[in-house]
Amino acid sequence: MKRLYYLLSLSVVMLAAPACRTAKTTAPASSAAGAPNTDANPRITGSINAPQSYYDNARRTVEPFFVAGVSEDATYGVTQKNPVCVGGKTDSGARNQQRYLNALRGPQGEEISYRRRGSCCAFETPNGIIGGMGMLDVYELTWAGAAKPLLLYLNFYDEGPLRAPAGLTVVKP
C-alpha cells in the first residue's frame, strides 16, 4: 500500500521543482487540506521508521563530502525550488545525503544533528526512477543554540555543486 501511494504521489503530485541543471520546474500546489505547500510547511509523504540512533551512527561512521564553502544564495537548500543536489540515485543517494549532512556545522561550528522527515515535492528529471520523476527528501537539522530546526531539501537524483546553506558552516578538511 505504501509503495502504491508513493508511486501515485510521484506521478500525480507536482508540488515544486528543484533548481538542479537537469530538473524541470513545475508550480507549487496546495495540500489536500487546502493549506499551501510552502518551504516552511512542506507536504511530506512516506514513513519515518529509522530511529534517531540510525542517524547518530551515520554521523559517527560516514565520511563527510568536501563542501566548497557557504552559498551566497539565501534559498539554497532551504527551499523546494533550490535543493542541494547530492546525486547517487538508488545506488548511493542515501549515503550521499549522509555524507553531505556530515559536512555541515552550525553557525559557530556546532555539530549538527539531523533526521529525515520524509519526501515531498515531486519534480521531473531525466534521472528519475519512475517515469522521469523524482521526489525531494526533507531533513530536519538542529544544533546547540538553534532557535528552531532548519528544514533542508535534498535531491539525490541529480548532481550539483555542494555548498552549505547560508548561515551554516562546513567541516574543515
Side-chain angles (χ1 to χ4, degrees):
M1 185 67 174
K2 286 182 184 179
R3 285 183 184 210
L4 179 61
Y5 180 73
Y6 179 74
L7 291 173
L8 289 174
S9 67
L10 274 177
S11 62
V12 176
V13 183
M14 299 297 285
L15 300 175
C20 302
R21 281 183 251 151
T22 57
K24 183 177 177 186
T25 303
T26 58
S30 294
S31 69
N37 177 45
T38 64
D39 295 316
N41 186 28
R43 182 171 176 234
I44 296 176
T45 61
S47 61
I48 309 165
N49 295 330
Q52 186 60 44
S53 60
Y54 167 80
Y55 300 103
D56 294 341
N57 185 55
R59 280 191 1 245
R60 289 188 306 273
T61 60
V62 176
E63 192 70 28
F65 268 141
F66 170 75
V67 175
V70 179
S71 177
E72 294 180 11
D73 183 346
T75 67
Y76 179 76
V78 297
T79 64
Q80 299 167 15
K81 291 185 179 181
N82 196 7
V84 178
C85 298
V86 299
K89 289 176 61 171
T90 57
D91 297 335
S92 57
R95 185 56 46 124
N96 284 359
Q97 290 176 341
Q98 293 168 347
R99 291 184 70 200
Y100 172 74
L101 293 166
N102 288 347
L104 302 180
R105 292 294 180 262
Q108 305 302 317
E110 303 92 341
E111 186 171 341
I112 286 181
S113 179
Y114 56 85
R115 180 177 184 81
R116 183 178 175 275
R117 292 209 18 215
S119 298
C120 79
C121 322
F123 63 96
E124 293 180 30
T125 174
N127 299 316
I129 297 169
I130 301 172
M133 298 299 295
M135 298 277 288
L136 298 178
D137 284 334
V138 182
Y139 279 81
E140 182 177 278
L141 281 62
T142 58
W143 58 90
K148 63 179 184 174
L150 174 68
L151 292 184
L152 204 57
Y153 296 87
L154 302 181
N155 170 348
F156 72 55
Y157 301 94
D158 305 305
E159 293 182 3
L162 297 177
R163 300 235 181 245
L168 297 182
T169 59
V170 296
V171 171
K172 303 293 184 208

